[in-house]
Amino acid sequence: MITLNISAEVQAALKEKRPVVALESTVISHGLPWPDNLELARTLEAIIREQGAVPATIALIAGQPTIGLDDKQLELLANGRVSVEKISRRDFGYAIARKLYGATTVAATMILAHKAGIDVFATGGIGGVHRGDSNDISADLPEFAQTPVVVVSAGAKAILDLPRTLEWLETYGVPVIGYETNEFPAFYTRASGLSLPYRADTPAEVAAIISAQWSFGLKSGILVANPVPHEAALPLDETERYIQQALLEAQHQGVHGKALTPFLLAYLADISDGKTKQTNLALLKNNAKVGAQIAIALKEQREMLLAQ
Ligand code: PSU
Ligand code: MN
């Protein structure tokens, strides 16, 4: 039997129905450079605690699905001394059988969060349909169609084809809620020109939509699109220039498959003099905060429904 290794703190919180927020680990191992990645991993946990929720960073530790990493495990994922695979849905069997260390993507983190009984998950930006090669569709998208977890994200990464990504989500019945926005945010920028069908302006409004969707029996993932804070956002045209350059370089070097997203993120940080990295850090922190607020609002909503 494959069991989940859930930390004592997270187990206690789940048992007592206190709010818990899941965090992914691909952003630590493959999305950000050392030592910013370790500092970020610790900061996200601290932000969630400050809001009054319990953080649960998720990864595979020597093949064991682990929910709620300790500080040593966070460091191991961040420092690059052991090889850490990027794990999505397809990779679980292999990584568990071979006892690999694995950083979980949005899709894989949704799977483990749901198995552990965690409803809310905060990340940076989800994967989607890649530009150019529209056959390269992140496994994050089909995960939303089948796994009922709320994901707070600054839209999808701007390196992607955002209109196609939104169309995909619509086709598969995935609700996308604009948080204090009418537009799908484009990760580094607040606007994309793509309008969203609905917005919510408070965590309680988001919680009400989630509860209604799920209690109606529609058990899909829900995307909460939370734009990067004004002060950290990058100008659209400058960002687009960097992205074009990065996509061209990826093509030259023949980067594809699961290496593509980490390559583009690192290349962008390099040519923008670290500006995209700073923005990425800021939006991750903001998503952790809003994620915790939504987890708390969901808990309050459930208590209210029980009291009726
Ligand atoms: N958001 C970030 N940095 C990241 C990612 C998201 O700010 O590194 C990761 C997520 O784990 C997401 C993955 O699931 O990139 C998508 O990879 P792909 O396009 O190969 O599916
Ligand atoms: Mn891909």
Side-chain angles (χ1 to χ4, degrees):
M1 247 278 272
I2 297 149
T3 50
L4 301 179
N5 181 8
I6 307 181
S7 74
E9 185 194 16
V10 173
Q11 255 184 59
L14 289 171
K15 199 165 150 226
E16 293 157 23
K17 304 203 180 310
R18 285 187 278 124
V20 178
V21 179
L23 294 166
E24 60 149 308
S25 41
T26 293
V27 64
I28 305 174
S29 301
H30 303 272
L32 292 166
W34 168 265
D36 303 271
N37 55 357
L38 179 59
E39 196 192 329
L40 183 269
R42 289 174 173 156
T43 306
L44 294 186
E45 295 206 344
I47 289 169
I48 289 167
R49 285 183 208 286
E50 263 164 42
Q51 295 293 318
V54 173
T57 305
I58 291 178
L60 292 182
I61 301 295
Q64 165 96 73
T66 306
I67 322 285
L69 301 183
D70 62 29
D71 201 62
K72 259 208 189 116
Q73 292 167 332
L74 283 182
E75 192 167 341
L76 189 140
L77 288 175
N79 69 19
R81 285 200 204 121
V82 296
S83 146
V84 180
E85 298 295 318
K86 178 175 161 187
I87 305 294
S88 197
R89 170 176 275 270
R90 64 164 186 193
D91 306 304
F92 275 111
Y94 176 78
I96 292 169
R98 298 282 174 99
K99 300 192 167 34
L100 302 180
Y101 287 83
T104 50
T105 60
V106 168
T109 306
M110 288 172 80
I111 292 170
L112 290 180
H114 182 56
K115 281 184 189 286
I118 301 170
D119 300 321
V120 181
F121 159 30
T123 183
I126 64 162
V129 182
H130 274 277
R131 296 197 202 181
D133 183 4
S134 56
N135 284 323
D136 183 349
I137 299 176
S138 171
D140 292 353
L141 293 185
E143 205 54 52
F144 273 91
Q146 57 181 320
T147 304
V149 171
V150 180
V151 180
V152 182
S153 136
K157 282 186 282 286
I159 54 174
L160 301 166
D161 184 328
L162 296 183
R164 281 212 174 95
T165 300
L166 266 187
E167 288 295 346
W168 201 102
L169 291 167
E170 180 181 349
T171 301
Y172 285 87
V174 179
V176 182
I177 305 172
Y179 190 71
E180 295 180 316
T181 183
N182 297 311
E183 260 188 65
F184 193 49
F187 199 66
Y188 301 118
T189 60
R190 293 177 58 87
S192 63
L194 299 164
S195 59
L196 288 176
Y198 28 81
R199 73 182 266 166
D201 289 283
T202 62
E205 280 179 19
V206 176
I209 298 169
I210 296 165
S211 303
Q213 178 87 0
W214 286 348
S215 45
F216 192 56
L218 300 176
K219 305 279 183 183
S220 67
I222 294 174
L223 180 59
V224 176
N226 183 32
V228 59
H230 282 284
E231 62 280 8
L234 294 178
L236 188 63
D237 44 348
E238 185 187 344
T239 315
E240 194 49 41
R241 270 202 311 273
Y242 294 142
I243 291 172
Q244 292 298 341
Q245 206 179 323
L247 288 169
L248 218 60
E249 187 60 27
Q251 220 179 16
H252 278 313
Q253 295 192 25
V255 185
H256 65 274
K258 70 179 187 178
L260 182 58
T261 297
F263 173 87
L264 292 172
L265 293 176
Y267 195 81
L268 283 173
D270 193 31
I271 59 178
S272 70
D273 257 334
K275 279 194 234 166
T276 58
K277 186 185 78 185
Q278 287 312 326
T279 302
N280 201 346
L281 294 172
L283 65 85
L284 279 157
K285 292 175 197 168
N286 189 41
N287 292 342
K289 183 175 113 200
V290 170
Q293 292 170 350
I294 291 170
I296 292 165
L298 258 180
K299 177 202 150 208
E300 286 165 356
Q301 169 116 18
R302 285 185 182 135
E303 285 170 352
M304 245 164 50
L305 290 173
L306 280 176
Q308 273 172 11

